[in-house]
Amino acid sequence: MPTFAMKVYDLQWFTTFGMDYDQAAEALVEDGIDVVLTQNHIDPLPTSGVDQHEYLTRFHDRIRAYDDGAWVGALKRHGLIVLETSAVLFDPPALSRFPDARPVDAAGEPHVGFDWYVGVCPTHDEYLDEKVAKLTRVVDELSPDGLFLQFIRYPGFWENWTWSPDYQFSDSDRYCFCGRCRSRFAAALGIPMPTGDAASQTSFILAQHGADWTNWRCGVIADIVRRVREIGAPNSDGAHLMLNTLPFPATDFGGQDVRRVIAAQDLRLLAPYTNRFELMTYLQILNRPQSWLRTAIDDARAQIRDTGSEVVCTLQVDALYTTGIHRDRQRSPSVTADEIFDAATTALDAGADGLVFYHWTDFLTDEAAGGRKRKALRSITRA
């Protein structure tokens, strides 16, 4: 049987829709959901592409009454699997505490960010120590069934790559070449680094040791995942981990394996520590047809064959990135109930082990407006 997971990152079920903990948990069960990907106040999710300012301001007093433990308890009472979500290498406020955690691109320029996104260098020990300490508290205090790790990659605003099938990657897309990363890479491989500035040393690395550089970065990401996996969880040999991964098969972008070469996500290297890989198959953002799902799923499954890890696909419930700096990217202005149902059917027929829906508030909002998306959800899950 496929897994059906729901991202529940905001508290609008608690505020806008007035549900209590058990009512919300029961509603998710009635929607046919098995796994809930949620958030907490110990390791809060930074603001991303979905603006939550209006409801956070309007329901400030109500939100103060919310309790993470009560929510997890209600979900478990109703038989749901609970994965607490962490934006591992996306934490803009942390850059004020750790300014040397700001990544440096291949041109030697610090990452200033794009839209709402700015990454964190994956080799910054103090930042990682703090993150692991928070996740340890999450596991110890909230007792979830596991963790869902977002932004577990080298920096890159992948939403900006997808508007054109002919996107050309440049030095500004390649990270991280800070002094710490360059010196650790050289030490790990025993390579004498030539004198010069960041840009000249980066040129040397990419020209003379490009494949080694990719392998080393993939190892850095895998080591972070291994470290998180070692956080104990009740009745297990570590926290159940689900990883948020780029969806691009190696045939995209003119045959470049950007998931591995740009983002340093090597699925086979990550598989020993990972129960489930989530492919971010956001078709409306990606400007991809539903038929592309099979290519993406086949590619991911081939990389982790015989590892025991699963592959699930995330489907959008509503349209994103259609205004502001994204206005001219020609993305569809809507996602319909029929499109959700058809994409779900296509993904499952293509061999996905399950689906993730982003996100529950969009289902609730559409239903309140008389829409059919929640009915489509229940048809997919056969609830």
Side-chain angles (χ1 to χ4, degrees):
M1 291 292 292
T3 295
F4 296 111
M6 184 69 72
K7 294 186 177 182
V8 186
Y9 290 164
D10 61 31
L11 298 177
Q12 293 202 52
W13 58 268
F14 187 69
T15 56
T16 307
F17 296 98
M19 299 182 194
D20 64 27
Y21 305 107
D22 284 293
Q23 287 173 331
E26 183 176 354
L28 286 161
V29 171
E30 291 173 350
D31 284 344
I33 299 303
D34 310 303
V35 179
V36 175
L37 312 177
T38 191
Q39 46 72 48
N40 61 79
H41 289 111
I42 298 171
D43 181 32
L45 296 178
T47 297
S48 59
V50 179
D51 185 7
Q52 301 183 35
H53 178 76
E54 189 276 333
Y55 100 90
L56 289 173
T57 301
R58 180 181 175 190
F59 294 104
H60 179 263
D61 290 340
R62 171 86 169 146
I63 290 172
R64 290 179 62 187
Y66 169 79
D67 181 82
D68 289 322
W71 175 227
V72 173
L75 293 171
K76 287 191 168 188
R77 280 195 301 276
H78 287 80
L80 291 157
I81 294 171
V82 182
L83 302 185
E84 292 287 350
T85 305
S86 177
V88 180
L89 294 169
F90 167 56
D91 191 347
L95 295 177
S96 62
R97 301 193 302 279
F98 306 114
D100 57 334
R102 186 176 293 274
V104 175
D105 68 19
E109 297 297 325
H111 189 203
V112 297
F114 184 91
D115 198 0
W116 51 267
Y117 173 75
V118 60
V120 175
C121 172
T123 65
H124 195 282
D125 294 330
E126 292 84 358
Y127 171 81
L128 292 172
D129 288 345
E130 180 181 277
K131 178 63 70 174
V132 171
K134 288 180 180 178
L135 291 175
T136 300
R137 279 190 59 202
V138 168
V139 170
D140 290 345
E141 297 179 22
L142 300 179
S143 297
D145 297 291
L147 301 171
F148 173 47
L149 306 185
Q150 294 183 322
F151 298 95
I152 186 70
R153 62 181 188 265
Y154 269 77
F157 189 69
W158 62 267
E159 294 93 328
N160 192 42
W161 310 338
T162 60
W163 68 278
S164 169
D166 302 317
Y167 185 86
Q168 298 295 310
F169 290 90
S170 68
D171 285 350
S172 63
D173 293 309
R174 301 178 188 279
Y175 291 91
C176 169
F177 294 92
C178 68
R180 182 179 52 251
C181 283
R182 299 196 311 274
S183 63
R184 289 190 184 183
F185 168 70
L189 274 74
I191 298 171
M193 191 67 69
T195 58
D197 59 13
S200 61
Q201 289 189 351
T202 295
S203 295
F204 166 77
I205 290 171
L206 293 178
Q208 302 297 321
H209 302 283
D212 289 332
W213 174 250
T214 295
N215 292 338
W216 178 79
R217 290 161 65 248
C218 289
V220 169
I221 296 300
D223 192 60
I224 296 172
V225 176
R226 175 199 56 77
R227 187 176 174 187
V228 174
R229 176 75 189 211
E230 291 175 353
I231 297 173
N235 304 314
S236 78
D237 59 357
H240 177 108
L241 288 189
M242 177 171 167
L243 297 192
N244 171 252
T245 52
L246 298 189
F248 307 116
T251 53
D252 277 21
F253 301 108
Q256 298 183 75
D257 188 357
V258 301
R259 178 166 53 211
R260 190 172 182 277
V261 174
I262 303 295
Q265 291 184 328
D266 185 321
L267 301 192
R268 191 155 192 91
L269 197 62
L270 293 165
Y273 318 115
T274 306
N275 303 89
R276 187 175 289 141
F277 290 99
E278 177 222 14
L279 299 181
M280 293 187 287
T281 49
Y282 296 87
L283 296 178
Q284 180 264 345
I285 297 175
L286 292 164
N287 277 333
R288 301 292 199 274
Q290 289 184 8
S291 58
W292 173 86
L293 286 168
R294 182 174 294 277
T295 303
I297 293 166
D298 285 347
D299 178 90
R301 293 192 70 86
Q303 293 187 45
I304 61 170
R305 186 175 290 116
D306 302 323
T307 66
S309 299
E310 295 184 349
V311 172
V312 297
C313 289
T314 289
L315 302 180
Q316 283 177 259
V317 183
D318 204 359
L320 292 169
Y321 301 119
T322 60
T323 61
I325 60 175
H326 306 282
R327 187 186 308 276
D328 298 328
R329 300 295 165 85
Q330 300 180 339
R331 292 186 173 104
S332 172
S334 65
V335 176
T336 69
D338 289 340
E339 286 171 336
I340 296 169
F341 182 87
D342 291 345
T345 301
T346 299
L348 293 175
D349 286 349
D353 294 299
L355 303 172
V356 182
F357 299 97
Y358 181 77
H359 57 118
W360 199 35
T361 294
D362 288 335
F363 281 117
L364 299 177
T365 300
D366 178 75
E367 183 181 54
R372 298 188 297 108
K373 292 181 181 180
R374 202 168 178 199
K375 290 182 179 178
L377 170 63
R378 294 185 176 190
S379 295
I380 294 164
T381 64
R382 299 182 180 179

